[in-house]
């Protein structure tokens, strides 16, 4: 698959092959990606461009899961209709668990209702307040006019008025010569446990999962292997998540080690969670693109598209195209 082929009028329509009901082959990657970002948060492509790229790469189904925002969903839905691809509304919520930042992917077949809409408004305000706090801390590190510089970086990456994200501050640090590259900026200044990791503003995991459930959504633990947790701690996180109403976890997030994925599959099986898959794509030009991810390990954990509130969504879309 190429991500640079031009859109051609003679391109063949997207094929709605049935999605696998089991991950029973160790090699096949399904043509679905349920975790991607656009300029509605810290991604580099507008929703329309992202959907077009996903279609060009042969995906038949996708979700747009911007951080704490569904502002890109309407545009993405229109683009999806034009491209003949099925788009499940979603977002990725920043939450707190035992004073760590955790991400929850919300898959919302009916879109956001009153509960999640109010929650997203709260997240927007939390992010605004947080960005000023991060800016103050970055100024202490020597980044003058930190807020304005981060805003400038957000604009350069294609986003006008969304609240700022840590990557905007990371780029500002690189630009000012305070960090060598993004990785370094996160490692020394913005990542977990560093000065710029301001998490006091996020809601408790339980509260945010409640918004998702109240509006008929499916809460999915994002990239469970990316938190620095032992297997036992990860089990505790997932158990608390389930107690709060969480129903799935990302078995595949971008490219990952197959042995760790197999172990995660066993853990999801033990806990009775659904398995989701996503690239967590943000920017073109990097190692990831829409749909790029490791193949899921062979497991009897059911894919999240078999969930009784998601299966009818994709079935209805497939029937109408
Ligand atoms: P925020 O949503 O503002 O808390 O920022 C978190 C985002 O920063 C993540 O979703 C990633 O896109 C990005 N990020 C986190 N860690 C790193 C890292 N080490 N290098 C580059 N980007 C990162
Ligand atoms: Mn991000
Ligand atoms: Mn995330
Ligand atoms: Mn993400």
């Amino acid at each position: 698959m190429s991500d640079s082929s031009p859109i051609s009028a003679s391109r063949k329509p997207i094929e709605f092959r049935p999605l696998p009901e089991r991950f029973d082959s160790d090699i096949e990657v399904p043509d679905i990606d349920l975790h991607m970002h656009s300029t509605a948060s810290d991604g580099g492509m507008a929703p329309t461009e992202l959907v077009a790229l996903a279609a060009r790469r042969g995906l038949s189904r996708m979700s747009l899961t911007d951080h704490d925002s569904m502002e890109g969903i309407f545009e993405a839905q229109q683009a999806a209709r034009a491209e003949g691809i099925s788009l499940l509304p979603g977002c990725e919520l920043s939450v707190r668990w035992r004073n760590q930042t955790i991400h929850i992917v919300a898959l919302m077949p009916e879109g956001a209702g009153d509960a999640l809409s109010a929650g997203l408004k709260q997240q927007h305000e939390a992010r605004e307040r947080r960005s000023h706090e991060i800016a103050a801390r970055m100024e202490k590190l020597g980044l003058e006019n930190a807020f304005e510089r981060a805003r400038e970086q957000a604009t350069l990456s294609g986003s006008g008025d969304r609240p700022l994200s840590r990557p905007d501050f990371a780029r500002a640090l690189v630009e000012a010569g305070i960090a060598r590259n993004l990785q370094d900026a996160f490692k020394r200044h913005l990542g977990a446990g560093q000065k710029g990791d301001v998490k006091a503003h996020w809601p408790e995991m339980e509260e945010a999962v409640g918004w998702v459930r109240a509006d008929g959504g499916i809460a999915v633990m994002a990239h469970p292997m990316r938190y620095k947790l032992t297997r036992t701690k990860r089990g505790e996180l997932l158990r608390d998540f389930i107690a709060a109403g969480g129903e799935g976890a990302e078995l595949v997030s971008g490219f990952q080690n197959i042995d760790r994925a197999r172990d995660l599959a066993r853990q999801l099986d033990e806990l009775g969670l659904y398995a989701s898959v996503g690239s967590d794509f943000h920017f073109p030009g990097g190692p990831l693109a829409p749909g790029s991810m490791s193949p899921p390990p062979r497991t009897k954990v059911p894919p999240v598209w078999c969930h009784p509130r998601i299966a009818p969504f994709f079935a209805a879309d497939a029937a109408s195209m």
Side-chain angles (χ1 to χ4, degrees), residues 5-273:
S5 58
I7 302 175
S8 85
S10 60
R11 178 165 52 94
K12 57 180 186 323
I14 306 277
E15 235 187 289
F16 276 86
R17 284 176 292 156
L19 289 165
E21 284 174 26
R22 287 274 179 133
F23 297 117
D24 51 14
S25 149
D26 266 340
I27 44 168
E28 217 169 312
V29 178
D31 60 346
I32 179 169
D33 188 334
L34 296 175
H35 187 153
M36 286 185 274
H37 296 270
S38 75
T39 48
S41 66
D42 58 358
M45 300 180 88
T48 303
E49 298 174 316
L50 174 72
V51 171
L53 176 56
R56 210 148 72 223
R57 287 185 45 88
L59 294 179
S60 64
R61 299 153 180 99
M62 65 176 282
S63 183
L64 173 62
T65 55
D66 275 304
H67 294 287
D68 306 303
S69 171
M70 291 180 73
E71 296 286 322
I73 297 295
F74 180 73
E75 183 186 319
Q77 280 172 323
Q78 289 186 308
R81 221 164 288 135
E83 296 284 346
I85 181 172
S86 185
L87 184 125
L88 177 64
C91 63
E92 182 177 16
L93 297 167
S94 311
V95 307
R96 255 183 319 155
W97 177 76
R98 296 190 186 170
N99 212 31
Q100 286 179 65
T101 302
I102 299 291
H103 287 172
I104 306 295
V105 165
L107 301 176
M108 308 299 301
E110 296 164 48
D114 291 346
L116 184 57
S117 298
L120 291 173
K121 186 161 175 278
Q122 185 182 313
Q123 294 293 80
H124 184 103
E125 287 157 9
R127 206 172 257 284
E128 290 285 2
R129 284 199 307 277
R130 186 186 74 149
S131 63
H132 288 285
E133 212 166 300
I134 296 176
R137 294 183 183 196
M138 295 301 108
E139 298 229 350
K140 290 208 181 107
L141 287 176
L143 184 68
E144 283 167 37
N145 300 318
F147 190 88
E148 291 71 21
R149 285 176 185 237
R151 171 56 70 203
E152 186 180 283
Q153 292 302 319
T155 306
L156 284 173
S157 74
S159 307
D161 51 5
R162 62 162 171 82
L164 297 174
S165 306
R166 280 183 286 168
D168 305 318
F169 287 98
R171 285 196 193 88
L173 288 172
V174 175
E175 183 65 27
I178 296 172
R180 284 188 299 278
N181 51 45
L182 289 185
Q183 223 32 45
D184 181 50
F186 271 92
K187 190 163 169 234
R188 290 195 297 132
H189 306 303
L190 291 155
Q194 302 305 313
K195 278 233 161 14
D197 175 32
V198 181
K199 51 199 172 253
H201 301 286
W202 301 132
E204 284 294 327
M205 176 167 74
E206 196 182 352
E207 182 186 353
V209 172
W211 307 333
V212 178
R213 290 292 302 226
D215 289 351
I218 294 86
V220 171
M221 177 60 60
H223 41 68
M225 302 305 256
R226 233 189 286 159
Y227 313 112
K228 293 194 174 73
L229 299 173
T230 60
R231 191 181 201 273
T232 306
K233 272 274 170 60
R234 190 163 56 247
E236 290 171 17
L237 168 66
L238 292 172
R239 270 176 231 280
D240 285 355
F241 179 60
I242 292 166
E247 298 181 86
E250 289 182 335
L251 176 58
V252 179
S253 175
F255 294 114
Q256 60 189 29
N257 177 284
I258 185 69
D259 294 317
R260 278 163 63 82
R262 286 203 184 98
D263 187 42
L264 179 60
R266 277 192 293 277
Q267 203 165 22
L268 302 194
D269 186 30
E270 285 159 21
L271 292 165
L273 285 161

